Amino acid sequence: MTQIGIYEKALPKDISWDERLALVSELGFNFIEMSVDETDERLSRLNWSQSECCELVGLMQKHQVKIHSICFSGQRRFPMGSHVKDVEIKSMELMWQAIDLASDLGIRVIQLAGYDVYYEDKDIFTRNQFIKNLEKSVAYAAEKGITLAIEIMDDPFINSITKFLKIKEQIPSPFLQVYPDLGNLSAWSENDIAYELEQGTNSIVAIHLKDTYAVTGECQGQFRDVVFGEGCVDFKGCLETLHRLNYPGPFLIEMWSENSDDFRSEINKAKEYLYPILREAGYDV
């Protein structure tokens, strides 16, 4: 059966992990993706003690729900390609901590945002720094048996699988893979979506399901909070392509309803839209 997960930020923010994992099970999902974002609150998870990690592992066993991956978007604040030496050092410290946390929790995938830098100007230096530090990170992750998977982003630096593969050529490790977001991939009009999925099929570890509005000459696009079915993503075409390519891996519904008064309804509407398309494409959900 196809594994379908939900992003942590689709669920209420101020609940315990016991309540959060119970909700994942109640809503019929197989797993959750943990967020370690730019906030001090979620970055502090990288300092969890062994006893805190053991407690969370016990809760996963209790609810029969796994944390499949960590969305490590905190590197947007502390990017590996930064011009600022202290920021680069902090980025690598956090990267090591994230890999250690994943190892302690039995998580096998850390999703990295495909940014060299986000709040700084990009140049040759930031690209070189990113690739140099990514190579170091992949080497450490390999020691722990953790896969680093780069998400296709809302940013020109890595906004296609083709661009990821150019970096993969320089770091040819099985512990560096790609995590396409169908929304981000589709929002960039220069991308031939079927071709991109065909090129990346042997490197894909998971797929984000999200709708977006396209980037055009008149519009900067919208990369989150787009209602499924109202954006530019051809879910039917994408999923049929993935099934033709024999992609067997997990799908993750990415939503930001953690502050919604009716998050269950929003999640169920997403499922009502996506599940029939997944089934029609050939996936068992």
Side-chain angles (χ1 to χ4, degrees):
M1 176 172 283
T2 302
Q3 299 291 293
I4 308 289
I6 189 70
Y7 186 37
E8 178 188 342
K9 290 187 178 182
L11 305 176
K13 183 178 181 181
D14 297 320
I15 58 177
S16 68
W17 274 102
D18 193 12
E19 294 169 310
R20 188 172 288 119
L21 294 174
L23 265 177
V24 174
S25 178
E26 174 193 330
L27 291 164
F29 293 106
N30 305 111
F31 65 90
I32 185 172
E33 183 166 274
M34 176 191 286
S35 169
V36 177
D37 63 16
E38 299 176 74
T39 64
D40 290 337
E41 178 185 359
R42 284 189 164 120
L43 283 171
S44 70
R45 293 171 171 180
L46 300 180
N47 296 310
W48 278 347
S49 66
Q50 286 292 318
S51 61
E52 288 173 302
C53 290
C54 287
E55 181 182 356
L56 183 49
V57 169
L59 291 174
M60 285 189 267
Q61 293 171 342
K62 171 186 173 181
H63 295 288
Q64 291 297 291
V65 170
K66 290 187 175 182
I67 302 174
H68 172 265
S69 49
I70 294 173
C71 176
F72 188 25
S73 56
Q75 283 204 312
R76 194 159 81 162
R77 177 178 169 190
F78 298 103
M80 291 192 288
S82 179
H83 292 96
V84 182
K85 189 62 179 178
D86 287 347
V87 173
E88 180 201 4
I89 291 171
K90 180 68 172 179
S91 176
M92 298 306 288
E93 289 175 352
L94 295 175
M95 186 74 257
W96 259 239
Q97 288 178 295
I99 292 167
D100 288 340
L101 177 65
S103 179
D104 290 341
L105 293 174
I107 298 169
R108 290 291 168 247
V109 175
I110 299 175
Q111 176 217 299
L112 302 183
Y115 305 120
D116 52 348
V117 291
Y118 188 78
Y119 299 110
E120 302 175 36
D121 292 334
K122 300 173 183 293
D123 54 28
I124 294 175
F125 177 87
T126 60
R127 178 181 177 83
N128 288 339
Q129 287 291 92
F130 174 84
I131 295 174
K132 177 191 73 175
N133 287 323
L134 178 62
E135 185 172 20
K136 293 178 183 177
S137 301
V138 170
Y140 185 64
E143 293 177 15
K144 300 280 187 172
I146 308 297
T147 297
L148 303 185
I150 295 183
E151 183 181 11
I152 305 306
M153 297 308 298
D154 57 345
D155 179 274
F157 184 66
I158 302 180
N159 61 0
S160 68
I161 295 174
T162 300
K163 287 185 177 179
F164 160 77
L165 291 172
K166 292 296 183 184
I167 292 174
K168 171 83 169 176
E169 288 175 4
Q170 301 173 64
I171 310 174
S173 169
F175 293 94
L176 176 63
Q177 303 294 350
V178 68
Y179 195 142
D181 181 310
L182 295 185
N184 293 346
L185 195 62
S186 300
W188 299 95
S189 57
E190 66 265 31
N191 286 337
D192 180 332
I193 308 304
Y195 174 81
E196 290 293 317
L197 295 173
E198 289 164 358
Q199 292 300 297
T201 183
N202 293 327
S203 299
I204 296 173
V205 296
I207 297 282
H208 269 172
L209 299 175
K210 179 185 76 181
D211 216 340
T212 50
Y213 294 135
V215 176
T216 67
E218 295 76 36
C219 176
Q220 294 182 340
Q222 183 173 327
F223 291 88
R224 54 172 288 177
D225 298 318
V226 176
V227 175
F228 284 98
E230 294 186 4
C232 66
V233 180
D234 177 1
F235 286 102
K236 182 175 184 293
C238 289
L239 294 170
E240 286 179 349
T241 299
L242 287 165
H243 192 264
R244 173 176 63 80
L245 295 169
N246 297 312
Y247 170 73
F251 294 93
L252 189 285
I253 297 177
E254 189 174 31
M255 299 175 60
W256 291 265
S257 47
E258 64 181 358
N259 296 315
S260 171
D261 292 331
D262 197 9
F263 71 92
R264 279 187 176 85
S265 175
E266 292 185 33
I267 291 171
N268 284 328
K269 285 179 181 177
K271 290 170 65 177
E272 288 167 5
Y273 177 80
L274 290 168
Y275 280 30
I277 302 175
L278 281 159
R279 293 189 187 103
E280 187 179 350
Y283 287 100
D284 182 14
V285 297

